[in-house]
Amino acid sequence: MCPLTGWLKGILPFGVGVMTRPDWWGSRASRWWARTILCAALIPVEVTGKENIEEGKSYVFTANHQGAFDIFLVCGYLNAEIRWMMKRSLEKIPFLGWGCRHAGYVFVDKGNAGVTRATYRRAEAVLQNGGSLMLFPEGARTYTGEMRPFKKGGFMLADELQLPVVPMTIKGSFEILPRTKDGSFICRHPLTLTIHKPIQPISKGAEDVEYLREQCYASIASSLDSVAER
């Protein structure tokens, strides 16, 4: 995690987590936080496809992971009540882990079936009252700017809970702050978020998981210039 963006993503969730309820944090505080950062950095933003999602409906949102500014783009401009799915290791980061746990984010464990079921239960609690989940199925930021193959975890969750998956394409974040930079300086570059049509589960089980993963990858790739070999 970059020094500059790591501090911004950590200290503010900590403060807001102390002072507000998780639902208020999820929908208002994070939006204000993210838009303020993008505005201060003079980053122009364009969003298309907002008409593809219904207010108050639960989804599993997915996006390619180009860089640290993906977080600000999604939090600031998706306009949905989301909780992030995050690697368990991030919970140990000072301020970030405490704030995100208090805000109701779902930390994902790699383990046995019992651990997986516990993750599903945490996700189900988040989805009450029309909440949604957000994840990056690549698992980490790209090193090259190209989209990498998707992991199955998020699609297994969508299959288990029978939720539609919403693919989203992010462009411009890699140019602003690629993973190979230390975060001390950023480049001003436009950010775009393309929200594609939801992909509905077709059944339940391994076939459905693979279907959701393949369709999601294809939708996101359709708005990108290049993707890595799979």
Side-chain angles (χ1 to χ4, degrees):
M1 183 172 294
C2 304
L4 174 62
T5 53
W7 181 85
L8 288 170
K9 289 187 287 185
I11 192 67
L12 287 178
F14 172 78
V16 175
V18 170
M19 295 181 291
T20 65
R21 300 179 310 174
D23 57 343
W24 197 92
W25 148 250
S27 62
R28 293 178 177 85
S30 62
R31 190 172 303 141
W32 172 85
W33 161 73
R35 291 191 178 194
T36 298
I37 291 171
L38 291 174
C39 182
L42 303 178
I43 303 296
V45 174
E46 179 184 4
V47 182
T48 60
K50 289 182 178 180
E51 69 279 0
N52 290 327
I53 57 177
E54 300 177 30
E55 185 177 354
K57 186 172 182 178
S58 293
Y59 299 99
V60 174
F61 289 99
T62 62
N64 56 310
H65 203 0
Q66 289 202 331
F69 274 71
D70 298 343
I71 308 291
F72 307 137
L73 179 62
V74 172
C75 284
Y77 292 91
L78 179 56
N79 291 338
E81 181 81 17
I82 61 170
R83 298 293 182 272
W84 292 82
M85 293 189 66
M86 310 173 75
K87 292 183 292 187
R88 174 64 67 180
S89 59
L90 296 178
E91 189 178 16
K92 299 178 182 178
I93 298 175
F95 301 123
L96 175 66
W98 193 98
C100 291
R101 184 170 64 252
H102 187 79
Y105 293 178
V106 178
F107 290 97
V108 179
D109 300 279
K110 292 182 179 179
N112 55 33
V115 171
T116 301
R117 286 194 295 271
T119 301
Y120 290 162
R121 288 196 297 270
R122 291 195 296 270
E124 284 183 295
V126 166
L127 295 169
Q128 293 177 0
N129 302 318
S132 294
L133 294 167
M134 172 68 208
L135 61 99
F136 295 117
E138 291 169 272
R141 290 168 289 163
T142 175
Y143 281 103
T144 64
E146 296 182 330
M147 186 167 67
R148 302 185 302 173
F150 286 176
K151 300 180 183 299
K152 292 184 178 182
F155 304 103
M156 292 172 65
L157 177 63
D159 171 69
E160 175 69 21
L161 303 179
Q162 288 294 286
L163 290 173
V165 176
V166 179
M168 302 189 297
T169 303
I170 293 173
K171 295 182 67 174
S173 182
F174 182 78
E175 287 75 13
I176 294 171
L177 185 62
R179 188 174 182 177
T180 52
K181 300 295 182 181
D182 65 2
S184 300
F185 300 94
I186 63 172
C187 297
R188 185 172 178 267
H189 191 281
L191 273 175
T192 62
L193 178 67
T194 303
I195 304 170
H196 301 280
K197 293 183 178 180
I199 302 169
Q200 303 291 338
I202 56 172
S203 58
K204 193 167 186 178
E207 182 181 355
D208 186 53
V209 171
E210 193 59 30
Y211 169 80
L212 292 172
R213 183 170 68 158
E214 291 292 332
Q215 291 298 309
C216 184
Y217 192 95
S219 291
I220 294 175
S222 68
S223 296
L224 287 174
D225 298 324
S226 62
V227 298
E229 292 186 6
R230 305 174 65 183

mmCIF file of all heavy atoms in Angstrom, residues 147-187:
data_model
loop_
_atom_site.group_PDB
_atom_site.id
_atom_site.type_symbol
_atom_site.label_atom_id
_atom_site.label_comp_id
_atom_site.label_asym_id
_atom_site.label_seq_id
_atom_site.Cartn_x
_atom_site.Cartn_y
_atom_site.Cartn_z
ATOM 1 N N MET A 147 -5.746 -6.161 -17.468
ATOM 2 C CA MET A 147 -6.583 -6.921 -16.548
ATOM 3 C C MET A 147 -6.118 -8.366 -16.482
ATOM 4 O O MET A 147 -5.866 -9.005 -17.502
ATOM 5 C CB MET A 147 -8.053 -6.845 -16.983
ATOM 6 C CG MET A 147 -9.009 -7.504 -15.989
ATOM 7 S SD MET A 147 -10.740 -7.114 -16.292
ATOM 8 C CE MET A 147 -11.013 -7.955 -17.870
ATOM 9 N N ARG A 148 -6.043 -8.899 -15.281
ATOM 10 C CA ARG A 148 -5.574 -10.261 -15.062
ATOM 11 C C ARG A 148 -6.759 -11.222 -14.897
ATOM 12 O O ARG A 148 -7.907 -10.786 -14.771
ATOM 13 C CB ARG A 148 -4.686 -10.293 -13.821
ATOM 14 C CG ARG A 148 -3.494 -9.356 -13.915
ATOM 15 C CD ARG A 148 -2.577 -9.503 -12.735
ATOM 16 N NE ARG A 148 -3.249 -9.254 -11.470
ATOM 17 C CZ ARG A 148 -2.681 -9.446 -10.285
ATOM 18 N NH1 ARG A 148 -1.468 -9.928 -10.202
ATOM 19 N NH2 ARG A 148 -3.342 -9.179 -9.174
ATOM 20 N N PRO A 149 -6.520 -12.525 -14.891
ATOM 21 C CA PRO A 149 -7.611 -13.490 -14.687
ATOM 22 C C PRO A 149 -8.317 -13.262 -13.353
ATOM 23 O O PRO A 149 -7.722 -12.780 -12.389
ATOM 24 C CB PRO A 149 -6.886 -14.843 -14.712
ATOM 25 C CG PRO A 149 -5.654 -14.593 -15.527
ATOM 26 C CD PRO A 149 -5.238 -13.195 -15.201
ATOM 27 N N PHE A 150 -9.601 -13.637 -13.313
ATOM 28 C CA PHE A 150 -10.419 -13.457 -12.116
ATOM 29 C C PHE A 150 -10.363 -14.681 -11.212
ATOM 30 O O PHE A 150 -10.382 -15.814 -11.685
ATOM 31 C CB PHE A 150 -11.878 -13.199 -12.501
ATOM 32 C CG PHE A 150 -12.133 -11.828 -13.061
ATOM 33 C CD1 PHE A 150 -13.395 -11.483 -13.525
ATOM 34 C CD2 PHE A 150 -11.127 -10.864 -13.133
ATOM 35 C CE1 PHE A 150 -13.652 -10.223 -14.038
ATOM 36 C CE2 PHE A 150 -11.373 -9.598 -13.649
ATOM 37 C CZ PHE A 150 -12.640 -9.285 -14.097
ATOM 38 N N LYS A 151 -10.343 -14.439 -9.915
ATOM 39 C CA LYS A 151 -10.466 -15.508 -8.935
ATOM 40 C C LYS A 151 -11.949 -15.845 -8.736
ATOM 41 O O LYS A 151 -12.824 -15.038 -9.047
ATOM 42 C CB LYS A 151 -9.827 -15.086 -7.610
ATOM 43 C CG LYS A 151 -8.343 -14.754 -7.736
ATOM 44 C CD LYS A 151 -7.752 -14.352 -6.410
ATOM 45 C CE LYS A 151 -6.294 -13.944 -6.540
ATOM 46 N NZ LYS A 151 -5.428 -15.013 -7.047
ATOM 47 N N LYS A 152 -12.227 -17.022 -8.198
ATOM 48 C CA LYS A 152 -13.614 -17.506 -8.115
ATOM 49 C C LYS A 152 -14.388 -17.025 -6.889
ATOM 50 O O LYS A 152 -15.623 -17.062 -6.880
ATOM 51 C CB LYS A 152 -13.640 -19.033 -8.119
ATOM 52 C CG LYS A 152 -13.221 -19.666 -9.434
ATOM 53 C CD LYS A 152 -13.390 -21.176 -9.358
ATOM 54 C CE LYS A 152 -13.013 -21.832 -10.686
ATOM 55 N NZ LYS A 152 -13.219 -23.309 -10.628
ATOM 56 N N GLY A 153 -13.688 -16.586 -5.840
ATOM 57 C CA GLY A 153 -14.327 -16.354 -4.555
ATOM 58 C C GLY A 153 -15.596 -15.523 -4.582
ATOM 59 O O GLY A 153 -16.633 -15.916 -4.040
ATOM 60 N N GLY A 154 -15.540 -14.359 -5.207
ATOM 61 C CA GLY A 154 -16.700 -13.482 -5.247
ATOM 62 C C GLY A 154 -17.867 -14.076 -6.016
ATOM 63 O O GLY A 154 -19.038 -13.852 -5.665
ATOM 64 N N PHE A 155 -17.569 -14.864 -7.024
ATOM 65 C CA PHE A 155 -18.626 -15.478 -7.839
ATOM 66 C C PHE A 155 -19.242 -16.677 -7.114
ATOM 67 O O PHE A 155 -20.424 -16.977 -7.310
ATOM 68 C CB PHE A 155 -18.068 -15.863 -9.200
ATOM 69 C CG PHE A 155 -17.442 -14.692 -9.909
ATOM 70 C CD1 PHE A 155 -16.068 -14.554 -9.970
ATOM 71 C CD2 PHE A 155 -18.232 -13.696 -10.463
ATOM 72 C CE1 PHE A 155 -15.483 -13.459 -10.592
ATOM 73 C CE2 PHE A 155 -17.668 -12.602 -11.085
ATOM 74 C CZ PHE A 155 -16.283 -12.483 -11.149
ATOM 75 N N MET A 156 -18.455 -17.329 -6.283
ATOM 76 C CA MET A 156 -19.007 -18.391 -5.436
ATOM 77 C C MET A 156 -20.006 -17.796 -4.444
ATOM 78 O O MET A 156 -21.054 -18.388 -4.171
ATOM 79 C CB MET A 156 -17.881 -19.105 -4.694
ATOM 80 C CG MET A 156 -16.968 -19.920 -5.596
ATOM 81 S SD MET A 156 -15.511 -20.577 -4.726
ATOM 82 C CE MET A 156 -16.303 -21.685 -3.579
ATOM 83 N N LEU A 157 -19.683 -16.625 -3.925
ATOM 84 C CA LEU A 157 -20.599 -15.948 -3.008
ATOM 85 C C LEU A 157 -21.875 -15.538 -3.724
ATOM 86 O O LEU A 157 -22.984 -15.740 -3.213
ATOM 87 C CB LEU A 157 -19.920 -14.726 -2.405
ATOM 88 C CG LEU A 157 -20.771 -13.875 -1.471
ATOM 89 C CD1 LEU A 157 -21.176 -14.680 -0.243
ATOM 90 C CD2 LEU A 157 -20.018 -12.620 -1.055
ATOM 91 N N ALA A 158 -21.743 -14.973 -4.930
ATOM 92 C CA ALA A 158 -22.920 -14.579 -5.706
ATOM 93 C C ALA A 158 -23.796 -15.787 -6.021
ATOM 94 O O ALA A 158 -25.029 -15.719 -5.979
ATOM 95 C CB ALA A 158 -22.486 -13.889 -6.996
ATOM 96 N N ASP A 159 -23.158 -16.906 -6.318
ATOM 97 C CA ASP A 159 -23.897 -18.138 -6.588
ATOM 98 C C ASP A 159 -24.609 -18.637 -5.341
ATOM 99 O O ASP A 159 -25.781 -19.010 -5.386
ATOM 100 C CB ASP A 159 -22.929 -19.202 -7.116
ATOM 101 C CG ASP A 159 -23.566 -20.574 -7.205
ATOM 102 O OD1 ASP A 159 -24.451 -20.773 -8.051
ATOM 103 O OD2 ASP A 159 -23.182 -21.455 -6.397
ATOM 104 N N GLU A 160 -23.914 -18.637 -4.222
ATOM 105 C CA GLU A 160 -24.493 -19.122 -2.968
ATOM 106 C C GLU A 160 -25.718 -18.297 -2.565
ATOM 107 O O GLU A 160 -26.730 -18.842 -2.126
ATOM 108 C CB GLU A 160 -23.438 -19.070 -1.860
ATOM 109 C CG GLU A 160 -23.942 -19.443 -0.472
ATOM 110 C CD GLU A 160 -24.305 -20.911 -0.349
ATOM 111 O OE1 GLU A 160 -23.806 -21.723 -1.166
ATOM 112 O OE2 GLU A 160 -25.089 -21.245 0.557
ATOM 113 N N LEU A 161 -25.628 -16.979 -2.720
ATOM 114 C CA LEU A 161 -26.712 -16.088 -2.312
ATOM 115 C C LEU A 161 -27.667 -15.762 -3.455
ATOM 116 O O LEU A 161 -28.642 -15.030 -3.246
ATOM 117 C CB LEU A 161 -26.125 -14.803 -1.730
ATOM 118 C CG LEU A 161 -25.177 -14.976 -0.538
ATOM 119 C CD1 LEU A 161 -24.653 -13.625 -0.070
ATOM 120 C CD2 LEU A 161 -25.858 -15.722 0.605
ATOM 121 N N GLN A 162 -27.359 -16.282 -4.664
ATOM 122 C CA GLN A 162 -28.189 -16.066 -5.852
ATOM 123 C C GLN A 162 -28.425 -14.573 -6.113
ATOM 124 O O GLN A 162 -29.552 -14.095 -6.271
ATOM 125 C CB GLN A 162 -29.515 -16.808 -5.721
ATOM 126 C CG GLN A 162 -29.374 -18.321 -5.866
ATOM 127 C CD GLN A 162 -28.950 -18.745 -7.272
ATOM 128 O OE1 GLN A 162 -29.753 -18.708 -8.220
ATOM 129 N NE2 GLN A 162 -27.693 -19.138 -7.431
ATOM 130 N N LEU A 163 -27.313 -13.846 -6.178
ATOM 131 C CA LEU A 163 -27.347 -12.406 -6.426
ATOM 132 C C LEU A 163 -26.830 -12.085 -7.821
ATOM 133 O O LEU A 163 -25.907 -12.744 -8.321
ATOM 134 C CB LEU A 163 -26.466 -11.674 -5.416
ATOM 135 C CG LEU A 163 -26.947 -11.627 -3.975
ATOM 136 C CD1 LEU A 163 -25.864 -11.012 -3.091
ATOM 137 C CD2 LEU A 163 -28.231 -10.813 -3.860
ATOM 138 N N PRO A 164 -27.393 -11.063 -8.473
ATOM 139 C CA PRO A 164 -26.845 -10.628 -9.757
ATOM 140 C C PRO A 164 -25.486 -9.974 -9.573
ATOM 141 O O PRO A 164 -25.234 -9.306 -8.563
ATOM 142 C CB PRO A 164 -27.885 -9.613 -10.261
ATOM 143 C CG PRO A 164 -28.597 -9.148 -9.035
ATOM 144 C CD PRO A 164 -28.588 -10.297 -8.072
ATOM 145 N N VAL A 165 -24.616 -10.192 -10.530
ATOM 146 C CA VAL A 165 -23.272 -9.603 -10.524
ATOM 147 C C VAL A 165 -23.258 -8.419 -11.490
ATOM 148 O O VAL A 165 -23.690 -8.547 -12.639
ATOM 149 C CB VAL A 165 -22.213 -10.635 -10.941
ATOM 150 C CG1 VAL A 165 -20.833 -9.996 -11.030
ATOM 151 C CG2 VAL A 165 -22.194 -11.804 -9.963
ATOM 152 N N VAL A 166 -22.759 -7.281 -11.021
ATOM 153 C CA VAL A 166 -22.671 -6.087 -11.871
ATOM 154 C C VAL A 166 -21.204 -5.835 -12.226
ATOM 155 O O VAL A 166 -20.414 -5.439 -11.356
ATOM 156 C CB VAL A 166 -23.255 -4.848 -11.173
ATOM 157 C CG1 VAL A 166 -23.122 -3.620 -12.079
ATOM 158 C CG2 VAL A 166 -24.723 -5.074 -10.822
ATOM 159 N N PRO A 167 -20.807 -6.055 -13.482
ATOM 160 C CA PRO A 167 -19.431 -5.764 -13.891
ATOM 161 C C PRO A 167 -19.255 -4.258 -14.094
ATOM 162 O O PRO A 167 -20.150 -3.576 -14.610
ATOM 163 C CB PRO A 167 -19.286 -6.505 -15.230
ATOM 164 C CG PRO A 167 -20.556 -7.295 -15.406
ATOM 165 C CD PRO A 167 -21.598 -6.635 -14.581
ATOM 166 N N MET A 168 -18.099 -3.746 -13.708
ATOM 167 C CA MET A 168 -17.785 -2.337 -13.922
ATOM 168 C C MET A 168 -16.361 -2.211 -14.456
ATOM 169 O O MET A 168 -15.442 -2.873 -13.956
ATOM 170 C CB MET A 168 -17.927 -1.538 -12.619
ATOM 171 C CG MET A 168 -19.307 -1.623 -11.989
ATOM 172 S SD MET A 168 -19.515 -0.476 -10.594
ATOM 173 C CE MET A 168 -18.278 -1.103 -9.453
ATOM 174 N N THR A 169 -16.183 -1.378 -15.446
ATOM 175 C CA THR A 169 -14.864 -1.159 -16.029
ATOM 176 C C THR A 169 -14.293 0.160 -15.538
ATOM 177 O O THR A 169 -14.932 1.207 -15.656
ATOM 178 C CB THR A 169 -14.928 -1.142 -17.562
ATOM 179 O OG1 THR A 169 -15.503 -2.364 -18.035
ATOM 180 C CG2 THR A 169 -13.533 -0.987 -18.153
ATOM 181 N N ILE A 170 -13.083 0.103 -14.991
ATOM 182 C CA ILE A 170 -12.365 1.297 -14.544
ATOM 183 C C ILE A 170 -11.228 1.571 -15.506
ATOM 184 O O ILE A 170 -10.453 0.672 -15.855
ATOM 185 C CB ILE A 170 -11.811 1.097 -13.119
ATOM 186 C CG1 ILE A 170 -12.960 0.993 -12.110
ATOM 187 C CG2 ILE A 170 -10.855 2.231 -12.742
ATOM 188 C CD1 ILE A 170 -12.516 0.635 -10.707
ATOM 189 N N LYS A 171 -11.123 2.816 -15.938
ATOM 190 C CA LYS A 171 -10.023 3.230 -16.809
ATOM 191 C C LYS A 171 -9.423 4.525 -16.269
ATOM 192 O O LYS A 171 -10.142 5.402 -15.808
ATOM 193 C CB LYS A 171 -10.509 3.438 -18.254
ATOM 194 C CG LYS A 171 -10.997 2.174 -18.937
ATOM 195 C CD LYS A 171 -11.428 2.429 -20.372
ATOM 196 C CE LYS A 171 -10.274 2.809 -21.266
ATOM 197 N NZ LYS A 171 -10.679 2.922 -22.696
ATOM 198 N N GLY A 172 -8.093 4.618 -16.361
ATOM 199 C CA GLY A 172 -7.397 5.841 -15.968
ATOM 200 C C GLY A 172 -6.656 5.758 -14.652
ATOM 201 O O GLY A 172 -5.721 6.531 -14.413
ATOM 202 N N SER A 173 -7.033 4.844 -13.790
ATOM 203 C CA SER A 173 -6.413 4.757 -12.470
ATOM 204 C C SER A 173 -4.950 4.325 -12.552
ATOM 205 O O SER A 173 -4.114 4.786 -11.758
ATOM 206 C CB SER A 173 -7.206 3.780 -11.588
ATOM 207 O OG SER A 173 -6.666 3.706 -10.298
ATOM 208 N N PHE A 174 -4.628 3.467 -13.485
ATOM 209 C CA PHE A 174 -3.246 3.019 -13.632
ATOM 210 C C PHE A 174 -2.341 4.182 -14.025
ATOM 211 O O PHE A 174 -1.204 4.283 -13.555
ATOM 212 C CB PHE A 174 -3.162 1.911 -14.684
ATOM 213 C CG PHE A 174 -1.777 1.346 -14.860
ATOM 214 C CD1 PHE A 174 -1.265 0.435 -13.944
ATOM 215 C CD2 PHE A 174 -0.984 1.720 -15.932
ATOM 216 C CE1 PHE A 174 0.016 -0.092 -14.091
ATOM 217 C CE2 PHE A 174 0.292 1.203 -16.094
ATOM 218 C CZ PHE A 174 0.805 0.298 -15.171
ATOM 219 N N GLU A 175 -2.855 5.076 -14.856
ATOM 220 C CA GLU A 175 -2.061 6.232 -15.286
ATOM 221 C C GLU A 175 -1.860 7.234 -14.145
ATOM 222 O O GLU A 175 -0.851 7.941 -14.096
ATOM 223 C CB GLU A 175 -2.730 6.919 -16.469
ATOM 224 C CG GLU A 175 -2.650 6.173 -17.794
ATOM 225 C CD GLU A 175 -3.592 4.974 -17.875
ATOM 226 O OE1 GLU A 175 -4.483 4.856 -17.003
ATOM 227 O OE2 GLU A 175 -3.451 4.166 -18.816
ATOM 228 N N ILE A 176 -2.808 7.301 -13.237
ATOM 229 C CA ILE A 176 -2.702 8.236 -12.110
ATOM 230 C C ILE A 176 -1.668 7.770 -11.098
ATOM 231 O O ILE A 176 -0.801 8.524 -10.673
ATOM 232 C CB ILE A 176 -4.073 8.399 -11.423
ATOM 233 C CG1 ILE A 176 -5.062 9.072 -12.377
ATOM 234 C CG2 ILE A 176 -3.941 9.233 -10.146
ATOM 235 C CD1 ILE A 176 -6.491 9.082 -11.862
ATOM 236 N N LEU A 177 -1.759 6.517 -10.706
ATOM 237 C CA LEU A 177 -0.843 5.985 -9.696
ATOM 238 C C LEU A 177 -0.702 4.481 -9.878
ATOM 239 O O LEU A 177 -1.418 3.697 -9.250
ATOM 240 C CB LEU A 177 -1.349 6.301 -8.283
ATOM 241 C CG LEU A 177 -0.421 5.906 -7.125
ATOM 242 C CD1 LEU A 177 0.904 6.652 -7.198
ATOM 243 C CD2 LEU A 177 -1.106 6.180 -5.788
ATOM 244 N N PRO A 178 0.230 4.043 -10.726
ATOM 245 C CA PRO A 178 0.419 2.602 -10.916
ATOM 246 C C PRO A 178 1.011 1.956 -9.673
ATOM 247 O O PRO A 178 1.599 2.622 -8.816
ATOM 248 C CB PRO A 178 1.391 2.530 -12.095
ATOM 249 C CG PRO A 178 2.103 3.839 -12.084
ATOM 250 C CD PRO A 178 1.120 4.845 -11.569
ATOM 251 N N ARG A 179 0.865 0.661 -9.586
ATOM 252 C CA ARG A 179 1.329 -0.079 -8.409
ATOM 253 C C ARG A 179 2.832 0.026 -8.216
ATOM 254 O O ARG A 179 3.340 -0.089 -7.091
ATOM 255 C CB ARG A 179 0.913 -1.546 -8.561
ATOM 256 C CG ARG A 179 1.166 -2.392 -7.330
ATOM 257 C CD ARG A 179 0.602 -3.783 -7.499
ATOM 258 N NE ARG A 179 0.802 -4.580 -6.297
ATOM 259 C CZ ARG A 179 0.358 -5.825 -6.149
ATOM 260 N NH1 ARG A 179 -0.322 -6.406 -7.121
ATOM 261 N NH2 ARG A 179 0.578 -6.481 -5.020
ATOM 262 N N THR A 180 3.570 0.279 -9.285
ATOM 263 C CA THR A 180 5.026 0.320 -9.215
ATOM 264 C C THR A 180 5.552 1.640 -8.657
ATOM 265 O O THR A 180 6.756 1.764 -8.411
ATOM 266 C CB THR A 180 5.614 0.097 -10.616
ATOM 267 O OG1 THR A 180 5.006 1.014 -11.544
ATOM 268 C CG2 THR A 180 5.347 -1.327 -11.083
ATOM 269 N N LYS A 181 4.693 2.637 -8.448
ATOM 270 C CA LYS A 181 5.117 3.921 -7.891
ATOM 271 C C LYS A 181 4.927 3.927 -6.382
ATOM 272 O O LYS A 181 4.105 3.199 -5.843
ATOM 273 C CB LYS A 181 4.329 5.065 -8.530
ATOM 274 C CG LYS A 181 4.494 5.167 -10.045
ATOM 275 C CD LYS A 181 5.926 5.505 -10.421
ATOM 276 C CE LYS A 181 6.067 5.662 -11.933
ATOM 277 N NZ LYS A 181 7.455 5.969 -12.344
ATOM 278 N N ASP A 182 5.650 4.826 -5.695
ATOM 279 C CA ASP A 182 5.623 4.820 -4.232
ATOM 280 C C ASP A 182 4.486 5.642 -3.648
ATOM 281 O O ASP A 182 4.261 5.638 -2.439
ATOM 282 C CB ASP A 182 6.955 5.308 -3.663
ATOM 283 C CG ASP A 182 7.243 6.773 -3.984
ATOM 284 O OD1 ASP A 182 6.397 7.435 -4.624
ATOM 285 O OD2 ASP A 182 8.322 7.255 -3.583
ATOM 286 N N GLY A 183 3.764 6.406 -4.452
ATOM 287 C CA GLY A 183 2.618 7.151 -3.954
ATOM 288 C C GLY A 183 2.925 8.570 -3.523
ATOM 289 O O GLY A 183 2.033 9.295 -3.088
ATOM 290 N N SER A 184 4.175 9.014 -3.628
ATOM 291 C CA SER A 184 4.509 10.372 -3.235
ATOM 292 C C SER A 184 3.957 11.398 -4.223
ATOM 293 O O SER A 184 3.626 12.519 -3.845
ATOM 294 C CB SER A 184 6.034 10.524 -3.134
ATOM 295 O OG SER A 184 6.558 9.637 -2.164
ATOM 296 N N PHE A 185 3.864 11.002 -5.492
ATOM 297 C CA PHE A 185 3.360 11.885 -6.524
ATOM 298 C C PHE A 185 2.343 11.145 -7.381
ATOM 299 O O PHE A 185 2.460 9.942 -7.592
ATOM 300 C CB PHE A 185 4.503 12.406 -7.412
ATOM 301 C CG PHE A 185 5.539 13.185 -6.667
ATOM 302 C CD1 PHE A 185 6.681 12.564 -6.191
ATOM 303 C CD2 PHE A 185 5.360 14.532 -6.423
ATOM 304 C CE1 PHE A 185 7.641 13.274 -5.491
ATOM 305 C CE2 PHE A 185 6.314 15.260 -5.729
ATOM 306 C CZ PHE A 185 7.456 14.629 -5.263
ATOM 307 N N ILE A 186 1.352 11.868 -7.872
ATOM 308 C CA ILE A 186 0.373 11.281 -8.770
ATOM 309 C C ILE A 186 0.334 12.083 -10.059
ATOM 310 O O ILE A 186 0.731 13.248 -10.096
ATOM 311 C CB ILE A 186 -1.035 11.247 -8.137
ATOM 312 C CG1 ILE A 186 -1.529 12.669 -7.855
ATOM 313 C CG2 ILE A 186 -1.044 10.402 -6.873
ATOM 314 C CD1 ILE A 186 -2.978 12.735 -7.416
ATOM 315 N N CYS A 187 -0.151 11.448 -11.131
ATOM 316 C CA CYS A 187 -0.312 12.116 -12.419
ATOM 317 C C CYS A 187 -1.790 12.429 -12.633
ATOM 318 O O CYS A 187 -2.649 11.576 -12.394
ATOM 319 C CB CYS A 187 0.192 11.221 -13.550
ATOM 320 S SG CYS A 187 1.955 10.856 -13.468
#
